[in-house]
């Protein structure tokens, strides 16, 4: 596995040691009403309770701690582009080490995430929404600051950090049959897949993404990396990025299937978790829930009974929840709100 991919399980084990004293062991919760709707036993890995409000701090801390101590001393700065959560995480991790951080953020990022980045002491630089625009601005900032790039999902140290989620889940839910993971750039699902297939190869790893940003699904379907052709429009702002050169080989080989969900399904899965579990997840975290409750997921064998869904984050822009009234309720949810 080491030769095939940019990280191995040994890298995830090292990441666990690097970050375990700096992150929360987030809880796994259950819901009888969601079990009833899904027809399976669901377990929710609550990364919304993680430091900085999402799983992203795992990868950011591992990457920063890998830079300290460097032979040449601390870097002059760290730079990244982010829709918000990785930016917050890197700003937090850099602040712990006294390193200036510069975060390239699309203008469309939720205000709550932009404010949090600034609260952690990082500098925000705005860009257009496309991956290409973000990367071009990031390169310019790196040159200006002489900073080191910490990519939000293709950096191996970031991927390894995210893989520590799976180490915890396999201990917390010993009888788990599958993990369902939201996918944008693919750092989390790749790190989780490396870990699961090393420790428990029979456990399934499923990716979940919006139908409006289905590059992972298309890539698996075609057998080649197929980025989104244009910036996707989805309420799940954390998964607008396309999978990349480092995450694709892992996803291609080790992720068992990819499920796509509509905007309405994402909105109502998110609302369902808010109302029934009292967990303020962001819509990106709702993507995995929507996938498990979808009609397509019913094609999965009933033997895959115990499903762990990674609730990736809880950085909700409360000023944007007007979307609650903008969609019709999908059929699987009709009986839940009675």
């Amino acid at each position: 596995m080491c030769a095939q991919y940019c990280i191995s399980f040994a890298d995830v084990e090292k990441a666990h040691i690097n970050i375990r004293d700096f992150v929360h062991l987030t809880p796994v919760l259950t819901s009888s009403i969601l079990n009833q709707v899904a027809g399976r036993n669901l377990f929710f890995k609550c990364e919304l309770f993680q430091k900085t409000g999402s799983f992203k701090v795992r990868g950011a801390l591992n990457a920063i701690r890998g830079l300290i101590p460097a032979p040449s001393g601390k870097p002059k700065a760290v730079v990244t582009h982010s829709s918000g959560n990785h930016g917050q995480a890197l700003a937090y991790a850099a602040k712990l080490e006294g390193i200036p951080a510069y975060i390239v953020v699309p203008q469309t990022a939720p205000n709550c995430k932009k404010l949090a980045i600034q609260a952690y002491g990082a500098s925000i630089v705005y860009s257009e929404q496309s991956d290409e625009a973000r990367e071009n601005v990031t390169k310019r900032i790196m040159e200006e600051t002489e900073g080191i790039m910490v990519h939000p999902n293709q950096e191996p140290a970031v991927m390894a950090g995210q893989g520590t989620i799976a180490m915890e889940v396999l201990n917390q839910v010993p009888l788990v049959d599958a993990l369902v993971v939201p996918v944008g750039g693919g750092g989390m699902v790749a790190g989780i897949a490396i870990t699961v297939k090393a420790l428990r190869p029979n456990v399934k790893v499923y990716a979940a993404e919006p139908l409006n940003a289905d590059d992972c699904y298309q890539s698996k379907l075609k057998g080649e990396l197929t980025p989104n052709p244009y910036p996707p429009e989805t309420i799940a702002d954390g998964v607008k990025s396309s999978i990349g050169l480092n995450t694709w080989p892992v996803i291609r080989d080790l992720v068992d299937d990819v499920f796509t969900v509509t905007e309405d399904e994402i909105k109502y899965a998110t609302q369902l978790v808010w109302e029934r579990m009292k967990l303020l997840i962001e819509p990106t975290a709702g993507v995995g829930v929507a996938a498990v409750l979808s009609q397509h997921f019913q094609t999965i064998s009933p033997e895959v009974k115990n499903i762990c869904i990674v609730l990736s984050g809880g950085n909700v822009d409360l000023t944007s929840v007007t979307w609650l009234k903008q969609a019709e309720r999908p059929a699987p949810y009709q009986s839940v709100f009675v």
Side-chain angles (χ1 to χ4, degrees):
M1 191 178 289
C2 299
Q4 289 176 276
Y5 312 118
C6 70
I7 65 166
S8 67
F9 176 58
D11 296 312
V12 180
E13 289 183 301
K14 183 178 177 182
H16 173 66
I17 294 168
N18 281 343
I19 71 173
R20 62 187 174 188
D21 293 334
F22 301 90
V23 298
H24 297 309
L25 172 60
T26 53
V28 173
L29 301 181
T30 59
S31 166
S32 59
I33 188 68
L34 268 73
N35 288 353
Q36 178 185 326
V37 176
R40 302 174 197 259
N41 301 321
L42 305 185
F43 301 85
F44 298 88
K45 178 62 169 168
C46 293
E47 287 294 289
L48 71 157
F49 295 142
Q50 190 52 266
K51 294 193 179 201
T52 75
S54 85
F55 74 95
K56 289 283 192 177
V57 76
R58 296 172 181 267
L61 279 168
N62 191 48
I64 291 290
R65 292 185 63 75
L67 298 173
I68 307 295
S72 56
K74 288 184 181 180
K76 291 184 178 180
V78 289
V79 184
T80 196
H81 54 79
S82 169
S83 60
N85 283 345
H86 176 68
Q88 291 179 66
L90 189 66
Y92 171 78
K95 186 176 183 179
L96 290 180
E97 299 293 345
I99 302 170
Y102 295 83
I103 316 297
V104 177
V105 176
Q107 295 276 6
T108 54
N111 283 331
C112 66
K113 297 184 180 184
K114 291 184 282 193
L115 290 170
I117 290 169
Q118 292 172 321
Y120 288 125
S123 300
I124 287 183
V125 182
Y126 290 107
S127 75
E128 297 300 319
Q129 190 176 337
S130 71
D131 287 349
E132 182 181 2
R134 291 194 205 185
E135 289 167 5
N136 288 338
V137 174
T138 301
K139 288 177 184 176
R140 174 173 62 82
I141 299 302
M142 287 172 64
E143 292 172 0
E144 292 176 0
T145 64
E146 299 181 37
I148 292 176
M149 173 65 172
V150 180
H151 197 282
N153 44 65
Q154 301 305 305
E155 165 60 46
V158 169
M159 295 166 62
Q162 322 306 27
T164 62
I165 296 169
M167 292 182 67
E168 295 174 7
V169 167
L170 294 177
N171 284 325
Q172 291 170 301
V173 191
L175 298 179
V176 68
D177 297 311
L179 281 81
V180 178
V181 187
V183 59
M188 175 166 55
V189 76
I192 284 175
I194 287 284
T195 305
V196 168
K197 298 306 180 180
L199 295 176
R200 299 272 299 280
N202 292 331
V203 171
K204 303 293 185 183
V205 178
Y206 299 126
E209 68 182 346
L211 184 61
N212 288 2
D214 67 342
D215 63 290
C216 187
Y217 174 81
Q218 294 297 333
S219 297
K220 287 280 277 187
L221 185 67
K222 297 173 183 176
E224 61 182 18
L225 184 61
T226 308
N228 291 310
Y230 46 81
E233 291 295 329
T234 174
I235 193 169
D237 63 275
V239 287
K240 288 183 177 181
S241 295
S242 298
I243 59 175
L245 292 173
N246 282 347
T247 53
W248 163 237
V250 181
I251 292 168
R252 179 193 63 208
D253 298 346
L254 302 184
V255 170
D256 294 281
D257 206 348
V258 184
F259 293 87
T260 60
V261 288
T262 67
E263 294 299 290
D264 281 357
E265 288 176 315
I266 297 168
K267 291 172 183 178
Y268 279 103
T270 301
Q271 187 176 355
L272 184 61
V273 172
W274 288 359
E275 294 187 347
R276 296 298 176 175
M277 296 189 71
K278 318 306 178 190
L279 297 176
L280 191 64
I281 60 169
E282 58 188 274
T284 299
V287 172
V289 182
V292 172
L293 299 183
S294 69
Q295 292 297 318
H296 185 195
F297 203 86
Q298 299 311 308
T299 63
I300 296 294
S301 167
E303 293 180 1
V304 182
K305 190 71 175 174
N306 299 317
I307 313 287
C308 182
I309 304 167
V310 180
L311 298 181
S312 53
N315 293 314
V316 180
D317 189 352
L318 294 175
T319 63
S320 71
V321 293
T322 51
W323 56 259
L324 283 173
K325 298 180 181 179
Q326 293 175 356
E328 293 185 8
R329 188 170 300 157
Y333 305 89
Q334 293 289 350
S335 62
V336 176
F337 293 96
V338 182

